[in-house]
Amino acid sequence: MKYSEYQHLLFERKDDGILLITINRPEVLNATNSRLHWELSRVWLDIADDDEANVIVITGAGRAFSAGGDLEMIKEMASGAANVGKAWKEAGDIVYNMINLDKPIISAINGVAVGAGLAVAFMADISIASESMRITDGHLRLGVAAGDHAVIVWPLLCGMAKAKYYLMTADFIDGKEAERIGLVSLCVPADRLMDKAMEVAHKLARGPQQAVRFTKRSLNNWLRVAGPAFDASLAMEMMGFFSADLKEGVAALQEKRQPSFPGFVKPKS
């Protein structure tokens, strides 16, 4: 597939074989619809075959990296098993295709990052957050189990105690706190984000390419070991799309209120 055929990703070649990718749905804070979700799962295969690209930098257009899955996509998934199956495969492909791409990926995380966008941001080999970054895994807010990338990488990045806390509460985390607990590689002021990302990209691009790629491949064996846990988490997440909790989670988001999940059982007085 040619880069020109992508609808929601922009591609720009920079010096030293750097490929800049911009998630481009700024009118909805780069939320992932069905097409963008598929593109984020597919693009890493095309980059693997691109001999001119040595280092990839990915960011979001406008004020956000990606504000999660849009509600129409979530409703589509909940409407039938075939749609859930498609999203299930793509969610796995996003993670595994990024792991298996030997070329280093740098994420420049501007603003909000949730859902599949957060998976791309955190599965990058080097993640650089702006101080204004605001992230949450967000699955629990919808009433489904934490899936996407969380189980495979959060415990390695920030430890099990912090991973459990933030994944089970779905609390938001800013750039400075994410750097403090190890969720991101670096945190810089918003006006320096892209300069820093490109500085790091040039450093990698001017290094020994085989050694850089072999180092990534070797380190990613830690992630491959966690593959079975990740696969199970995806299955458990997808089960939630048939639940009453999901319907209430979506309704609460639409109505901008706190959810009242029906699975909650009040203790007897």
Side-chain angles (χ1 to χ4, degrees), residues 173-251:
I173 310 171
D174 63 23
K176 289 182 178 180
E177 179 65 3
E179 182 184 41
R180 188 187 73 82
I181 66 176
L183 269 176
V184 297
S185 307
L186 300 170
C187 176
V188 297
D191 61 358
R192 290 190 55 227
L193 177 64
M194 290 310 299
D195 287 343
K196 187 63 178 180
M198 296 308 296
E199 175 191 325
V200 175
H202 283 292
K203 183 179 293 187
L204 293 180
R206 292 168 183 168
Q209 291 307 293
Q210 185 181 71
V212 168
R213 295 179 189 188
F214 282 4
T215 298
K216 171 177 175 172
R217 183 184 296 185
S218 299
L219 287 170
N220 277 358
N221 283 322
W222 286 98
L223 298 174
R224 294 183 181 97
V225 167
F230 168 63
D231 293 341
S233 76
L234 272 185
M236 293 176 196
E237 175 193 354
M238 297 302 156
M239 287 172 60
F241 281 88
F242 299 105
S243 71
D245 281 345
L246 176 81
K247 294 178 181 177
E248 169 59 13
V250 170

Side-chain angles (χ1 to χ4, degrees), residues 11 25 38 57 79 102 105 121 129 144 180 185 237 253 260:
F11 300 85
R25 296 187 76 214
W38 175 78
V57 177
S79 67
D102 282 354
I105 305 165
V144 298
R180 188 187 73 82
S185 307
E237 175 193 354
L253 283 175
S260 179

Side-chain angles (χ1 to χ4, degrees), residues 5-65:
E5 296 174 15
Y6 283 83
Q7 295 178 13
H8 302 305
L9 298 177
L10 301 178
F11 300 85
E12 184 180 354
R13 294 193 186 277
K14 302 288 189 178
D15 293 342
D16 294 336
I18 296 167
L19 181 65
L20 174 62
I21 303 174
T22 304
I23 304 170
N24 189 41
R25 296 187 76 214
E27 69 282 0
V28 289
L29 299 179
N30 302 318
T32 50
N33 60 8
S34 296
R35 173 71 187 196
L36 177 54
H37 196 259
W38 175 78
E39 290 183 1
L40 290 173
S41 73
R42 162 79 201 193
V43 66
W44 315 108
L45 301 178
D46 289 326
I47 291 170
D49 292 332
D50 181 356
D51 292 336
E52 296 180 41
N54 289 326
V55 178
I56 296 84
V57 177
I58 185 163
T59 192
R63 298 185 295 118
F65 189 87

Side-chain angles (χ1 to χ4, degrees), residues 94-107:
I94 289 171
V95 168
Y96 285 125
N97 288 342
M98 291 183 75
I99 288 173
N100 292 329
L101 176 66
D102 282 354
K103 301 171 185 181
I105 305 165
I106 299 167
S107 59

